[in-house]
Amino acid sequence: MAISKSEEFTKIENKISDWAKALSHPARIKILKILAQKNVCMCGDIVDLMPLAQATVSQHLKELKRVGFIKGEIEGPKICYCLDYSTVTEAQKKLNELFDGIIIIK
Amino acid sequence: MAISKSEEFTKIENKISDWAKALSHPARIKILKILAQKNVCMCGDIVDLMPLAQATVSQHLKELKRVGFIKGEIEGPKICYCLDYSTVTEAQKKLNELFDGIIIIK
DNA sequence: ATCGTTCATCGTAAATATACGATGAATATT
DNA sequence: AATATTCATCGTATATTTACGATGAACGAT
């Protein structure tokens, strides 16, 4: 947000911070858990489980899609959202590498 | 940011998203790496390694301190910043629990 | 006491995030 | 073709983030 000097940082620093940004709202954490644990994938079903309006949930889904945590498959007038495990796994791995680099050394 | 309905979500959802928010800027990722890997702790030294003005770095340090990732110990006119390993470790653990819950199930 | 160093905070400008109602686009059904 | 359903996007209001220069507070040294 706002005049960010992202060119001044490394690719991995930008990538990790971008993933973290996608996780930086409790609604998006909750959406990821819903998609993983409930047998649910449609936007409307997610809205029913969330304390937010449909438009707001849609915005959060867009942000999760932007970083690749979820994919949306069109099924007629519906869209079935599902987790993209490869991206989620990659994010976990890189975040752990960051944490390990921070914690182990010294 | 902005009219966030944080009461509507669980404590852990808010906590994880708060940690993620602290990691959601490449400058803060870089600061954490600097504190871990370089023999550096003073704000001025960090500023010298960053492509940002002193005031901006100070703001990022404040955000990292807010969530407990770093502590600041006063040494005369200087302040020695250091990582708070217990908080960083806790964040890593909870983030991994989130990821594992998302990835393993299903 | 004065001066220099170090860092936080103030003030400000511009961009982004959050939230919602309203509307629009796409498709399935009748 | 008309209708209903589903979801995205528009428009809008407000809050937060990011960035910087300027200033202030705190301390050590002279």
Side-chain angles (χ1 to χ4, degrees):
Chain A
M1 333 82 189
I3 334 173
S4 200
K5 292 185 150 186
S6 59
E7 342 74 46
E8 303 280 359
F9 301 95
T10 67
K11 271 184 191 167
I12 188 67
E13 282 161 1
N14 277 293
K15 208 164 188 179
I16 290 179
S17 63
D18 209 35
W19 282 325
K21 196 176 74 167
L23 298 176
S24 71
H25 195 288
R28 293 194 287 268
I29 302 282
K30 189 178 171 80
I31 289 172
L32 291 177
K33 288 203 271 184
I34 287 171
L35 286 177
Q37 295 165 5
K38 311 276 179 186
N39 262 345
V40 146
C41 65
M42 281 167 32
C43 176
D45 293 339
I46 299 170
V47 170
D48 291 343
L49 298 169
M50 300 283 295
L52 300 171
Q54 182 264 327
T56 307
V57 172
S58 193
Q59 277 189 336
H60 285 305
L61 289 168
K62 189 180 179 182
E63 170 67 8
L64 290 171
K65 204 157 55 173
R66 183 186 65 81
V67 299
F69 282 167
I70 65 175
K71 288 183 286 193
E73 199 178 325
I74 297 172
E75 284 189 7
K78 311 177 188 178
I79 294 185
C80 182
Y81 284 101
C82 61
L83 291 165
D84 184 333
Y85 292 98
S86 64
T87 306
V88 175
T89 303
E90 191 191 354
Q92 180 180 26
K93 187 182 159 201
K94 297 294 184 193
L95 269 165
N96 271 317
E97 284 175 12
L98 172 71
F99 279 120
D100 290 342
I102 288 173
I103 294 169
I104 290 174
I105 297 175
K106 256 193 173 171
Chain B
M1 335 83 186
I3 334 174
S4 200
K5 292 185 151 185
S6 59
E7 341 75 46
E8 303 278 1
F9 300 94
T10 67
K11 271 185 191 165
I12 187 66
E13 282 161 1
N14 278 292
K15 207 164 189 181
I16 289 179
S17 63
D18 209 35
W19 282 323
K21 196 175 74 168
L23 298 177
S24 72
H25 195 288
R28 294 194 286 267
I29 303 281
K30 189 177 169 82
I31 288 172
L32 291 177
K33 288 203 270 185
I34 287 172
L35 286 177
Q37 295 165 6
K38 311 275 179 187
N39 262 346
V40 147
C41 65
M42 281 167 32
C43 176
D45 294 338
I46 299 170
V47 170
D48 291 343
L49 297 170
M50 299 284 295
L52 300 172
Q54 182 264 327
T56 307
V57 172
S58 192
Q59 277 190 336
H60 285 304
L61 289 168
K62 189 180 180 182
E63 171 68 7
L64 289 171
K65 204 157 56 175
R66 182 185 67 81
V67 299
F69 283 167
I70 65 174
K71 287 183 287 193
E73 199 178 325
I74 298 172
E75 285 188 7
K78 311 176 186 178
I79 294 185
C80 181
Y81 284 101
C82 62
L83 292 165
D84 184 333
Y85 291 98
S86 64
T87 305
V88 174
T89 302
E90 191 191 355
Q92 180 180 25
K93 187 182 159 201
K94 297 294 184 193
L95 270 166
N96 271 319
E97 284 175 12
L98 171 71
F99 279 121
D100 290 343
I102 289 174
I103 293 169
I104 290 174
I105 296 175
K106 252 189 176 175

